[in-house]
């Protein structure tokens, strides 16, 4: 498929609270280098800035980032600030707090509730903002309950530092716990075509019923490995077991559907993600301008019921 004139509005829109966004957004983690965090080679600064400006030109108005997205030379938040400030009126920047990295790049102890104000203010400083549009609390496994942490963020929302709140790496009971404290506008969980997860399936359903955005990460499972890029997902932190990385190959069903649409397997994975419900947002990330255009163009792919049945077959078999 041609990606020359396709913009992010082709994917449709959703609201994060009162903030409308195109359902095809951009994840900033890969702006900083050839692999996540301090792995791989730091990115070329001018190229990363060009990617961000191209994303805006392509209609992207939802960027996902974090203060702990940095390599030895690059900070995602600083790149966003340099490339896009003064920010477009319709741009929604979503950040996350909880995990912590020191200046040497190594993971430290994740935040206690009383630490979260510092995390929020660091994002404010790096982005050059007086408030954050949306902040996701990233739950770390050492904390079974998120009530104290989410309550601390709810206080910062009341103080005007945060407009809306979300949660990440959670189960359905954590969503119930958070909603009893303050409104939740989005849930970020790992969710991919070839990665069945009953908890995330249930969250996907519940979020749809409650009008909450469901925002998968790690949805383009095969892209990094297929391009020979080492990939370390951001949830491999602070005592969590690191995943082995992206899948080494797209299965034949994905490839066959890709051929039928004249698209790449990665584009089909993004399209499948968006087909999981009108409340589902996609935030594929890249530091490559060409891949960016392809990712945005995936929002225009319309899969047939037969194609969705074919793509869902491995999930049904796993279930």
């Amino acid at each position: 498929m041609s990606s020359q004139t396709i913009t992010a509005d082709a994917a449709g829109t959703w609201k994060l609270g009162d903030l409308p966004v195109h359902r095809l957004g951009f994840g900033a983690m890969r702006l900083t280098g050839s692999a996540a965090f301090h792995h791989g080679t730091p990115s070329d600064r001018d190229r990363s800035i060009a990617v961000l400006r191209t994303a805006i030109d392509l209609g992207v108005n939802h960027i996902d980032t974090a203060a702990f997205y940095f390599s030895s030379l690059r900070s995602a938040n600083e790149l966003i600030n340099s490339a896009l400030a003064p920010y477009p009126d319709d741009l929604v920047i979503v950040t996350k707090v909880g995990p912590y990295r020191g200046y040497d790049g190594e993971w430290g102890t994740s935040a206690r509730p009383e630490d979260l104000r510092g995390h929020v203010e660091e994002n404010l400083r790096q982005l050059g903002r007086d408030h954050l549009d949306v902040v996701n609390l990233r739950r770390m496994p050492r904390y079974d309950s998120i009530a104290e942490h989410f309550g601390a963020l709810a206080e910062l929302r009341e103080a005007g530092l945060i407009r809306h709140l979300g949660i990440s790496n959670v189960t359905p009971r954590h969503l119930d716990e958070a909603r009893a404290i303050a409104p939740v506008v989005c849930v970020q969980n790992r969710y991919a075509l070839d990665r069945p997860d009953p908890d995330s399936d249930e969250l996907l359903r519940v979020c749809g019923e409650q009008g909450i955005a469901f925002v998968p990460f790690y949805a383009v499972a095969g892209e990094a490995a297929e391009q020979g890029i080492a990939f370390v997902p951001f949830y491999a932190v602070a005592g969590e077991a690191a995943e082995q990385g992206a899948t080494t190959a797209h299965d034949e069903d994905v490839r066959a559907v890709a051929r039928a649409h004249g698209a790449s397997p990665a584009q089909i994975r993004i399209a499948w993600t968006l087909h999981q419900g009108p409340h589902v947002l996609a935030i594929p990330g890249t530091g490559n301008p060409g891949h960016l255009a392809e990712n945005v163009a995936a929002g225009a792919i319309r899969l047939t019921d037969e194609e969705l049945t074919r793509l869902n077959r491995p999930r049904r078999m796993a279930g």
Side-chain angles (χ1 to χ4, degrees), residues 184-195:
V184 175
V185 303
C186 57
V187 172
Q188 277 195 6
N189 263 36
R190 182 174 183 179
Y191 196 79
L193 172 60
D194 51 4
R195 182 83 176 193

Side-chain angles (χ1 to χ4, degrees), residues 29-37 39-44 48 71 74 229 287:
M29 183 174 67
R30 294 296 299 277
L31 285 175
T32 64
S34 62
F37 309 123
H39 302 275
T41 304
S43 63
D44 177 82
S48 293
S71 65
R74 304 282 175 259
I229 298 170

Side-chain angles (χ1 to χ4, degrees), residues 37 66-70 96-101 107 126 138 234:
F37 309 123
F68 54 85
Y69 286 178
F70 64 87
K96 63 186 69 65
V97 296
Y100 170 77
R101 294 176 66 207
W107 293 101
Q126 292 177 4
R138 166 72 187 183
F234 76 75

Side-chain angles (χ1 to χ4, degrees), residues 98-100 106-111 140-142 234-241:
Y100 170 77
E106 295 303 314
W107 293 101
T109 302
S110 53
M140 306 302 289
R142 63 181 294 189
F234 76 75
Y235 41 81
V237 298
E240 293 186 63

